[in-house]
Amino acid sequence: SLESEWRFYPRAVFFDLVLRVEWREQHRLLQLVYSPGSTIRIRKDGISGGVLQRPCDGRERPLRDFTHLTLDNGKRMGIACPDVFSISATSAHASLTLLRSCLMAHHDPAPPVKLRARFSDQGWHELRFRIFRESPSLNTSTVESAALALESPILRGDLTVGMPLRPLRECIAGRV
């Protein structure tokens, strides 16, 4: 099963998509395919340690957390996706690999009979995306910053824990 939640914000250059998937498939692949309607000319992907420009040759490659596409019409768009780890792209579309259910490897030693065959990526998953609309001014660092923000939860703390409660009148009068 798959649930999608679309979040649109007033005057924002992006929208958010949250997918919740209960995955029970075997020997299958789930991809989110984005077709911009214009030819993808340049593709820059977030990789471990930086950004790498890659060809749109359809080969699946590792992804850290975002892709930035320059289209034939001069516009740019981006997808920040901290929960996705591989992408393939052609000049017509970009395919983000969300889940794959191959057999888990066991090499110590390889048993002749798969007594405990387990498939990867089974169960519930929540995948987050921030999709930047086509814009001529969108740059790679904006998409990368959004991906890093999605990966970092908001920190909060209560700095008053353990302090004695004081009546509001004393605080206003300066007798704290």
Side-chain angles (χ1 to χ4, degrees):
S1 67
L2 183 133
E3 299 171 9
S4 64
E5 180 179 322
W6 300 82
R7 299 174 183 169
F8 295 93
Y9 308 100
R11 295 176 297 282
V13 296
F14 60 85
F15 61 91
D16 289 341
L17 169 62
V18 178
L19 294 177
R20 289 177 196 86
V21 182
E22 183 182 13
W23 189 248
R24 297 282 174 226
E25 297 293 325
Q26 297 178 355
H27 301 294
R28 302 273 186 219
L29 184 72
L30 178 64
Q31 291 185 321
L32 177 66
V33 179
Y34 177 77
S35 300
S38 186
T39 303
I40 299 172
R41 202 168 30 121
I42 300 170
R43 171 180 138 210
K44 294 180 183 176
D45 294 337
I47 61 164
S48 294
V51 179
L52 185 62
Q53 184 171 325
R54 292 179 166 156
C56 295
D57 57 4
R59 294 180 58 197
E60 188 174 17
R61 300 177 191 269
L63 181 73
R64 184 187 70 211
D65 53 7
F66 75 92
T67 188
H68 181 250
L69 308 172
T70 302
L71 307 177
D72 204 22
N73 60 9
K75 294 186 177 178
R76 300 173 183 165
M77 62 91 44
I79 303 172
C81 45
D83 306 312
V84 176
F85 302 103
S86 87
I87 185 172
S88 60
T90 65
S91 59
H93 63 270
S95 301
L96 300 163
T97 301
L98 308 181
L99 301 169
R100 76 175 73 238
S101 55
C102 55
L103 277 172
M104 303 274 261
H106 180 71
H107 300 290
D108 185 30
V113 179
K114 293 184 175 39
L115 299 175
R116 295 183 190 169
R118 294 182 187 235
F119 290 89
S120 63
D121 289 345
Q122 298 295 297
W124 280 98
H125 300 272
E126 184 172 284
L127 304 150
R128 301 161 298 154
F129 304 89
R130 178 156 288 171
I131 302 169
F132 289 84
R133 297 187 307 229
E134 293 181 15
S135 165
S137 61
L138 182 66
N139 58 31
T140 305
S141 63
T142 302
V143 182
E144 184 175 22
S145 295
L148 292 172
L150 287 173
E151 290 174 7
S152 304
I154 296 173
L155 298 177
R156 69 176 184 91
D158 186 355
L159 302 178
T160 62
V161 171
M163 295 178 72
L165 295 175
R166 305 262 188 214
L168 182 60
R169 288 187 303 258
E170 290 181 24
C171 292
I172 294 172
R175 292 180 278 171
V176 179

